[in-house]
Structures are given as C-alpha cells and as structure tokens.
Amino acid sequence: MTVGSAVLSILVFPGFLFLVAFGLAGEFVDRKLYARLQNRQGPPWYQPLADFLKLLGKENVIPEDADRPTFRLAPVFALAAAVASILYIPLWSTTSVLPFEGDLIVVLYLLIIPTVAFFLGGWTSRSVFATIGAFRAITQVFAYEIPLFVALLAPALLANTWSISGIAAYYAGHPWLWLVNLLGFGVALVSLLGKLERVPFDTPEAETEIVAGSFTEYSGRRLAFFRLAIDCEAIVGASLVAAVFLPFGLGLSPALGILVYLAKVLFVLGILALLRTLFARLRIDQMVHFCWSVVAPIAFLQILINLVVRELI
Amino acid sequence: MPDKKRTVRVPIGPQHPALKEPESFMVDLQGEKITSVALRLGYNHRGIEKGCEERTYMQDLFLLERVCGICSHSHATAFIQAVEEIAGLEIPRRAKYIRMLIAELERIHSHLLWLGVAGHEIGFDTLLMYSWRDRELVMDLFAELTGNRVNYAMNTLGGVRRDIAPEQFPHIQKIVDALEERTKYYIELAMTEETLAQRLSGVGYLSKEDAIRLGAVGPTSRASGADRDTRRDDPYAAYDELDFKVITDDHCDVFGRTVVRLGELMQTYSMIRQILKQMPEGPIAVKAPLKIPAGEAVSRYEAPRGEDVHYVRANGTDKPERVKVRAPTLANTQSVAKMLEDGYLADLPIVVAAIDPCFSCTDRTIAVRGDRDSKTMGWEELVQYGVRWYRDRGVDPSRIKVRGDESA
Amino acid sequence: MARTPWRRPGRMVPSLLRSLFRHPATTRYPFVKWVMPEDFRGRPVVHTENCIGCKMCVRNCPSGAIDIEKVGEKQFEARIDLGRCVYCARCAEVCPKKTIELTKDFELAAFDRKTLKVVYDAPPPPAPAASPEAGPESDAGA
C-alpha cells in the first residue's frame, strides 16, 4: 500500500478519527442503554463529546510527588495502543488493513497495554487511592486475561491460522461453523468486561471505595485521553469479538458490510451494557476466584470442543 | 505475621464518595486487609443543642426537625413528646394516630433510601435507581399530606398541625399497596441475586454479645439477634394499639441487616393499613401553654435507624434550659470498628452504609469520660479559645471584610 | 426469612428489559413544569392590607426571617428574607388576621442574595373620596 493510503488508514479510516468518533458514539449507546434499562432518560447523543471537550478545557494538575514523565505519557500510550490495534482487525471484509500471520497475538498484546498504562498512571500518582486502584488493575489482569486468550484461541485452532483475517476468511468459507464457538463467545464477553473495567469487574475504579482508582489524580486533558482510550478499547474489543466469533455477513458490498459490522458491534456493546446493569461489583478476591473457577474452565472446554470438531472435519 | 512497615494509612473521609456525610475513618491497610480503624466524629456539629436554648419550644420544634433530613419527624416527635410530658399535656388520640402515620411513612422512605444507598455502595446502581424511583411515591405523598417532601412540620405542642382528610385515605392505601408489590420484588431480589449475596453475606459480622456490649440499636442490633424495639418495649404515640411483629434475624452480617429492613417495610405496610382503619375521630390538638413548668423528661422514639433519645429540661420560662439529643447512629458507630476488623477495604463502604449512618444526627456534644486530653470550657472561654486559635495561624479577624449585605 | 437455595445471577433481567420499553420515570424538569400539590409550603406572601401590626409572626419565626415595619397610620410593610425562611408556615399559623399565605412557588434560587429579601409594600393610605385599593406586591427578582 502506498504511503498516502497508509497515512489515511492510520489517521482517518479505520484509524484514529473513525475510532474516536465511533468510540464516542459507542459510549453514548452504552450510557443510553444503561439509563433506559434503569427506567431513566439517559444523556443526549452529544454527551460523550461534550464531556471530552469539557475535560480538555479543565486545569491540568500534577501531584507534587508524581513521576512526571510517566504520569504524562500514560494516557498517550493507552490511546495509541487502542488505536493501533484496529488496523489488524477485519471490520466488514475478510481482510484487515495490515493482515499477517500472527496478528491475533499482536492485537491481544496491544490490548494489554492500556491496562498497563492505567497501572503506571495510578502507580506514579503516588496517591493512596491511585496505588490501590493500580494494584487491583494488575491483579485483575491475571484473572481475565487467560480466559480471554484461551477463548480467542479456540476459533483460531479450528481455522488453523493465527491471523484474524485468516479466521474470518475460514469461517466465511464454512458457513454456520461459527456456532461451535458460542461458549467461547460468552467467555470473551465476560473477559471483555474485565478488560474494560466495567461492573461487575470494576474494582480498579470503584468509585465508592477508592474515589477513582488509577485516575484519581488525573484531570484535564490527560483524563480526557484516558477516558477516550477506554472508549476506543471498547470498540476495538467489540470489533475483535465480532470478527472472531461472529464472522458472518462478510464479503458483502461495502455499504451493506458496514451496516452488518455496525450491527454486530452495537449488539456486543448492548450485551455489555446489559451485563453492566445487572450485577453488583465483585470484590477483587471474589472476581479472581470467579474467573479461575468458572470462566477459565469454560474456556478450556471450548478448546476441547474445537479440537474434537477439528478432528471430525 | 503482620508487617508494621507495609501498613498503608488510607483516609476514608471526611470527603469521600462512599460517605454521604463527612466522617473520618483512618484505615490502616495491609494489601486489601484492614488492620485497624480510627474513627473521628464532629464534622457536622452545628450547635443545634445550644441554639435550642435561645428559642421557644415551638421554634425549637422546627430547629430540631432539621437535625436530619431523613428522620426529621423522629427528632421533632421525640422532642415534643418530652415537652408534653413535662407540661402534663395529654394529646388527643387522633393526633397520636396521625403522628404514627407520618412516622411509619417516614420509615418507608428511609428504608427505601437505605436500599438505594446500599446498592450504590456495592456498585449496583440499578438497585439505587429502582428503589429511589419507588421512594418518589412516598415523597409526593408527603408533599400532599404535609406540605413538604422533607421536614414535614406536622407536630405542634399539644398535637399535630394538619389533619388528614378521609378523602386522602384511599390514596394512601393505593400507594402503600403499590409499594408492597415493589418491596416483595426487592425481597426476592435480595434472596436470589448471586452478586448481591456475595457482596452482602459474611461481611460486617457483629455477634449478639458484641451488639449488646457496644450498644447497637435499631436494625443493626436486630440483625444480630438482639430483640429490641422501642415501639414494643416502651410504646409511645399509640403503638400499644397496633399489632405488629419485631423483625429479627440471626445472620449477624450486612445481609441480615438487609433482611431486617425489608421485613420492617412489610410490617410497616400492615401497620399503615391498621392505622387507616382504626383512625379515631376527634380534635387534632389541645391548647398548650407558652411557659412550660420546671421539670425534665426523657423521651425515646424508634427512628428508622434505631432508638432516638431526647432529654429536655424546662425551667418555667418559654425557652428550654437544656436539650440533649442522642441519635441512633452515635450508638451504632461504635460497632463499626468491630465490624471492620479483618475485613477488606472493599467492604468498608457497605459496612458503614449498613448501619444506615446519619452523621448529621450524630454530631452533638459528647463528654468522654476518662480521657486525659479533654477539657471542659464555658461559653466565654470557648470564644477566646477560638480567637486565639485563628490568630496563632495568622488570621487577623479585624481585617476580614464580609462581602455583600449589611442588614442583620 | 428462609433462604431460597437456588441463587443465580442476573435475576433482574426481566424487569430490566421491561423498563427498556417503558416510558422513563424521569420528569424532564425544568423543560416540563412541576406543579406542587395544594397546601404546599412555598414562598410566603403577606397581604399587607389586612395586617394590624401585632408582630406575632416576627416573635414566632424560628429563624428571624420576617419583619414588620409601620410606615403610616394602619399601614404596615412586611419584609421577608427568603434565604432565612425555613417555610414552616408558623407565621401563617399564628397570624390573627390570616394575612400570610404560603404559595406553591418553590423556584426561588437566585444569583444575588440581595434579591432574596422581599418587601411587601404597605397599602396606600385610604383616600377621602376614592375607595381604597389593594396594595401592590413587589415580586422577588429571580
């Protein structure tokens, strides 16, 4: 691809601008659905954009004891990693912008970086609440990351490829085979809740316990970028789950394909919003226990099923 | 083995999202485990007891109502019952029934508020939104019956100020029926929702002996099996004419407190039905004197949070000599440190919320016996102390300009 | 209360999905006006033409919010500080001539504290030939 089209892909579509716009829209959908499920009205469509612009205009306060370079760069790393990973996920065709064998692993790696950035941001803030939040964020990683990896591994095993685009192409060629992976879909959704730090797994950012967790000392544009990074991560995670577990309707005309893609992502976001409304927040020890005793075994079961199916085909 | 070096001190409060009112809990943490809690009260002290001494009894009624927004009728009624006892006034039966009706409606609104706050503290915002939506029914009912959503000002010396018209009875009945349906849903939710049970069970354990020893009152003590309820043990208003059960539970933890409060809600609905059916006819107030003869009285009242004690001393003038308020949260706060022992930091908000704290009620003057650091000061000495304290910190009171109004 | 043995997560799903299709319980205040019920204790209004200047209201007010001033023969002016008023309706209760009425007006927030001091002008002196008119009331600016 030429330099021009590469720059266009990274910065505009499906890169930075598209992801930011879709991220803000996704946050609106999530908040509106959350409110409607609670019999409330919910914010208007421009609310996430208004919040972002408002935060940009606020004063930037850096704590005296904080480690300044890391404190400043953490939000940037989080946002950059989230934006970079969209380039490897096929959105409505069977190829992404930069497909190669092994990009599944790269995307999973890139998606851990925001959590590490939250941890670093909280750790270098040198505030008690931020430290506790950072601890909890990293502890949570050990709980949900393994089931997520394993669950995403299962369709790759069946498709015999390490590339997300390859997975999409395989399932496009074998219709209805993706139904085998439904258990993995459930596991991936639960793990996505953990990655995005949503209820019931939002102990790193428990408002009533540790004020704002890792983000306690952040204000102004750095907080705006952190929140934008979470929104973009939500879209990327939803796109990844949709590409790996719901690989149907690919290969249609671009217009129809875009609609199918939007529908899939909104469906995933809708389920995440429903799960957010449904549960109370779990304590960190309860969360780790739940993930290792319930979620991880189901993920391994899915691998077993896929191995069996692979032999049968 | 606890390592002294690795202990972190976390200030929960006075400003903290978990607390609805300022209170200071200095928590020592090791990892996520709490090793000790140091409690500090007094951020809400407004000098209400002193203010009562300079106002007449009727003016004090409105002042004491504003001790707390949620249990305002409790404080007003407890106070006026003490004054009526000193003055030897016998209020009409209809007035007693109306006071009981408002008291039970207040219990509904307070327990629904608690349910929402408890949901919020464990991150279950849906429960908050649902229960507070149902609470709006009671608030609107209060606005119709008494003229305001909070601070109802129904009491007067010698009875109540407003009558409940018979046309309003079916309306009250309808609201109570609707709320009873909703409360049954919440009870079922508390029993069967897995994440709620995980957060509420086994948390904030307080054994029966500790509850009695530390002086817990209200649902906090009833959830630990200590069977105490002022409405049954020392009936005021007309509670001896009502038929109700005192709900106790033996879970001894936050789940037990939830069960007790939800059970009390169901009892309250049945009590309101009895009140509406048995409401006697008659006047709603007797004439009360302006000057109350000398005497003193202690009045106890079962507020939604527990036993509320008011002590009033009159000296023959139209202003009381001393008013002392012992709010239920003051009795319950001492059990919080015991409940948090060996707990997790994540449980602190829900454990504190489970005693249904109302720190505005709590912060009155208390004298701690045996404390060598304390001093007793008179009024003039206190003023001088305040001036000296600020001057030591570089604040010169003569240079302070008050911006804005010049009138009194 | 016995504990049901069967506990599962997600108990609220039916209720949540029902809420999704119901009208939200939110009132779009202030775009939709909220009217308080009758006998709501809102802003007090003094009908000064009936006032006899006994100052029972001033003596009984818990917060010292009301003040009555004589400006002429049988003419009294009432000043209420809406910031100090607690809307308890004690003044309305003790007034022997039932001059004070608490309206349903509750939207009293103001940017400037001075505008919360409301003055109810005394009625004009009775003219010898014409019939006396009711005194105009000045409104709080808010």
Side-chain angles (χ1 to χ4, degrees):
Chain A
M1 54 181 358
T2 66
V3 174
S5 73
V7 167
L8 208 62
S9 298
I10 295 176
L11 285 183
V12 177
F13 188 84
F16 185 68
L17 278 182
F18 166 73
L19 196 56
V20 164
F22 202 10
L24 294 176
E27 185 185 341
F28 160 68
V29 167
D30 173 70
R31 283 167 72 170
K32 191 78 174 177
L33 205 53
Y34 186 63
R36 282 296 161 115
L37 287 168
Q38 292 173 346
N39 204 206
R40 289 187 293 130
Q41 192 186 330
W45 62 269
Y46 47 83
Q47 188 67 39
L49 181 63
D51 286 341
F52 181 71
L53 291 176
K54 174 202 81 168
L55 278 175
L56 284 182
K58 295 274 185 186
E59 183 187 354
N60 286 306
V61 177
I62 302 186
E64 215 173 20
D65 286 339
D67 182 20
R68 296 177 83 96
T70 325
F71 190 87
R72 288 171 154 154
L73 284 179
V76 177
F77 276 130
L79 188 57
V83 170
S85 33
I86 197 77
L87 300 173
Y88 305 104
I89 301 179
L91 298 182
W92 55 82
S93 61
T94 54
T95 54
S96 59
V97 177
L98 296 172
F100 63 94
E101 196 66 29
D103 59 16
L104 179 63
I105 310 296
V106 171
V107 167
L108 286 173
Y109 166 76
L110 283 175
L111 282 181
I112 299 190
I113 292 187
T115 315
V116 174
F118 300 156
F119 166 73
L120 282 177
W123 184 251
T124 56
S125 300
R126 299 291 200 90
S127 141
V128 187
F129 299 121
T131 313
I132 298 179
F135 268 144
R136 289 180 178 180
I138 283 295
T139 310
Q140 248 188 210
V141 168
F142 292 124
Y144 68 74
E145 203 64 42
I146 305 289
L148 184 64
F149 269 57
V150 171
L152 285 170
L153 190 58
L157 257 183
L158 195 53
N160 234 338
T161 166
W162 284 113
S163 159
I164 311 181
S165 313
I167 295 175
Y170 177 83
Y171 284 102
H174 298 76
W176 302 114
L177 201 55
W178 57 270
L179 285 171
V180 176
N181 297 323
L182 278 182
L183 272 182
F185 180 50
V187 168
L189 280 177
V190 173
S191 304
L192 203 56
L193 276 177
K195 183 177 277 301
L196 299 172
E197 289 177 6
R198 298 240 171 121
V199 181
F201 302 135
D202 74 338
T203 35
E205 203 192 321
E207 179 215 328
T208 53
E209 297 160 27
I210 44 176
V211 190
S214 321
F215 307 141
T216 314
E217 300 296 336
Y218 276 90
S219 56
R221 57 172 187 268
R222 297 195 185 93
L223 185 61
F225 280 128
F226 259 139
R227 288 177 54 137
L228 192 60
I230 294 185
D231 289 339
C232 294
E233 205 185 349
I235 298 292
V236 169
S239 305
L240 177 66
V241 167
V244 173
F245 291 103
L246 306 173
F248 53 83
L250 307 168
L252 294 172
S253 67
L256 218 53
I258 290 182
L259 282 180
V260 170
Y261 165 69
L262 286 179
K264 282 192 233 174
V265 169
L266 286 177
F267 172 66
V268 173
L269 286 180
I271 296 191
L272 290 179
L274 181 65
L275 290 176
R276 187 154 85 103
T277 328
L278 209 48
F279 300 120
R281 180 187 308 136
L282 288 180
R283 248 186 1 228
I284 190 70
D285 60 314
Q286 291 167 340
M287 183 253 174
V288 173
H289 181 260
F290 172 70
C291 281
W292 278 107
S293 63
V294 174
V295 181
I298 297 184
F300 285 115
L301 182 65
Q302 175 71 65
I303 291 254
L304 217 60
I305 293 179
N306 278 29
L307 284 174
V308 167
V309 170
R310 193 166 72 157
E311 292 311 308
L312 292 178
I313 295 183
Chain B
M1 200 91 7
D3 189 352
K4 270 287 322 167
K5 286 201 289 275
R6 294 232 223 100
T7 308
V8 173
R9 172 158 283 195
V10 179
I12 306 284
Q15 261 81 21
H16 196 271
L19 304 169
K20 300 293 166 254
E21 282 147 352
E23 203 56 63
S24 172
F25 295 93
M26 280 297 195
V27 175
D28 284 334
L29 276 189
Q30 279 189 349
E32 282 269 336
K33 282 246 173 212
I34 297 179
T35 52
S36 80
V37 175
L39 192 62
R40 227 189 129 121
L41 302 174
Y43 293 91
N44 266 320
H45 185 74
R46 288 160 285 168
I48 289 190
E49 289 176 342
K50 183 72 187 166
C52 282
E53 293 172 19
E54 288 158 20
R55 288 171 169 77
T56 66
Y57 288 96
M58 274 309 292
Q59 290 173 335
D60 281 341
L61 188 61
F62 299 112
L63 179 59
L64 280 173
E65 230 187 12
R66 282 148 178 84
V67 165
C68 174
I70 310 173
C71 41
S72 62
H73 189 251
S74 318
H75 289 290
T77 310
F79 172 71
I80 212 72
Q81 278 177 295
V83 176
E84 283 162 1
E85 191 177 321
I86 302 177
L89 286 175
E90 183 66 34
I91 64 172
R93 272 188 77 222
R94 190 177 174 90
K96 287 186 184 167
Y97 268 77
I98 293 182
R99 277 188 190 171
M100 265 199 315
L101 176 67
I102 303 293
E104 292 307 314
L105 284 174
E106 184 179 68
R107 198 177 309 272
I108 296 179
H109 117 81
S110 172
H111 282 335
L112 283 176
L113 184 143
W114 177 83
L115 195 62
V117 169
H120 179 62
E121 303 283 4
I122 56 175
F124 200 10
D125 278 346
T126 313
L127 188 58
L128 169 73
M129 301 298 172
Y130 273 20
S131 58
W132 280 38
R133 179 197 61 188
D134 298 330
R135 187 174 155 252
E136 285 297 307
L137 290 172
V138 179
M139 306 300 272
D140 291 340
L141 181 63
F142 271 135
E144 283 173 26
L145 292 180
T146 69
N148 202 351
R149 285 159 59 99
V150 290
N151 296 338
Y152 325 119
M154 272 304 250
N155 285 331
T156 186
L157 188 55
V160 293
R161 283 164 101 198
R162 283 196 194 199
D163 200 0
I164 315 264
E167 301 86 60
Q168 291 174 310
F169 282 27
H171 185 52
I172 303 177
Q173 185 79 352
K174 215 164 49 134
I175 290 186
V176 166
D177 289 338
L179 284 173
E180 194 171 24
E181 283 305 310
R182 296 298 306 167
T183 310
K184 288 202 186 112
Y185 176 69
Y186 293 133
I187 293 178
E188 201 192 332
L189 193 68
M191 293 289 149
T192 54
E193 168 70 39
E194 175 71 25
T195 48
L196 263 189
Q198 284 216 6
R199 279 313 294 271
L200 298 180
S201 301
V203 165
Y205 185 78
L206 188 71
S207 66
K208 185 171 170 180
E209 296 74 35
D210 282 332
I212 298 181
R213 181 175 62 90
L214 292 168
V217 292
T220 314
S221 75
R222 288 200 279 276
S224 298
D227 192 6
R228 293 175 169 172
D229 189 334
T230 318
R231 290 174 291 171
R232 183 201 54 199
D233 301 332
D234 188 6
Y236 53 94
Y239 277 104
D240 42 4
E241 296 175 29
L242 285 188
D243 180 28
F244 63 98
K245 270 200 332 236
V246 173
I247 310 279
T248 59
D249 196 67
D250 51 5
H251 282 111
C252 297
D253 58 8
V254 174
F255 184 75
R257 287 166 210 139
T258 314
V259 165
V260 166
R261 286 194 176 94
L262 288 172
E264 278 182 8
L265 274 177
M266 299 303 288
Q267 284 299 306
T268 303
Y269 300 135
S270 124
M271 277 199 263
I272 293 183
R273 288 202 184 90
Q274 291 174 43
I275 293 175
L276 290 178
K277 218 163 48 147
Q278 296 173 265
M279 179 83 76
E281 300 296 326
I284 55 171
V286 293
K287 190 103 175 57
L290 265 185
K291 292 200 190 350
I292 307 290
E296 57 186 19
V298 169
S299 154
R300 294 162 51 176
Y301 182 104
E302 183 74 16
R305 282 157 185 73
E307 184 194 24
D308 188 14
V309 179
H310 278 235
Y311 165 79
V312 179
R313 187 162 67 216
N315 57 3
T317 61
D318 61 347
K319 299 187 168 64
E321 180 162 329
R322 174 84 172 105
V323 174
K324 168 93 184 112
V325 174
R326 202 293 313 260
T329 308
L330 183 58
N332 285 331
T333 320
Q334 306 173 57
S335 355
V336 169
K338 185 92 184 78
M339 287 187 222
L340 285 173
E341 256 176 31
D342 287 337
Y344 287 100
L345 176 67
D347 291 328
L348 189 141
I350 185 64
V351 167
V352 170
I355 65 168
D356 208 355
C358 181
F359 297 117
S360 305
C361 288
T362 312
D363 288 336
R364 310 271 83 82
T365 54
I366 48 175
V368 179
R369 284 186 176 158
D371 187 0
R372 280 158 297 150
D373 287 337
S374 71
K375 225 171 82 149
T376 313
M377 293 190 231
W379 181 247
E380 293 303 326
E381 203 183 335
L382 189 62
V383 170
Q384 294 303 320
Y385 182 80
V387 171
R388 259 199 327 267
W389 196 89
Y390 277 106
R391 205 176 298 135
D392 289 344
R393 276 152 186 80
V395 177
D396 184 7
S398 59
R399 293 185 49 208
I400 296 179
K401 280 201 212 329
V402 174
R403 191 164 48 107
D405 61 329
E406 297 81 52
S407 56
Chain C
M1 270 183 230
R3 202 123 141 191
T4 320
W6 183 43
R7 255 169 34 187
R8 57 182 169 85
R11 175 68 186 76
M12 286 187 86
V13 172
S15 169
L16 289 180
L17 292 177
R18 258 202 309 268
S19 300
L20 191 58
F21 298 107
R22 257 202 301 201
H23 205 61
T26 322
T27 310
R28 284 177 176 75
Y29 183 83
F31 304 111
V32 170
K33 276 300 162 202
W34 187 260
V35 178
M36 286 314 221
E38 294 300 321
D39 296 333
F40 181 75
R41 284 178 273 127
R43 175 169 63 95
V45 155
V46 184
H47 300 289
T48 48
E49 61 271 13
N50 298 327
C51 177
I52 57 172
C54 64
K55 294 208 181 182
M56 281 288 280
C57 52
V58 179
R59 274 200 288 274
N60 274 288
C61 177
S63 47
I66 188 168
D67 198 16
I68 304 284
E69 205 177 293
K70 182 168 178 158
V71 294
E73 187 60 40
K74 287 237 180 71
Q75 290 168 278
F76 298 96
E77 180 181 86
R79 294 166 190 272
I80 298 189
D81 186 347
L82 291 174
R84 280 185 156 223
C85 177
V86 292
Y87 308 97
C88 63
R90 186 83 180 126
C91 50
E93 211 179 0
V94 299
C95 177
K97 293 290 172 191
K98 296 290 167 243
T99 314
I100 306 185
E101 175 199 345
L102 264 74
T103 59
K104 293 196 278 189
D105 191 10
F106 64 95
E107 290 157 327
L108 303 170
F111 286 107
D112 188 358
R113 259 216 313 236
K114 289 200 262 299
T115 55
L116 286 177
K117 296 194 204 313
V118 180
V119 177
Y120 293 101
D121 287 331
S131 53
E133 298 167 353
E137 293 170 358
S138 69
D139 255 312

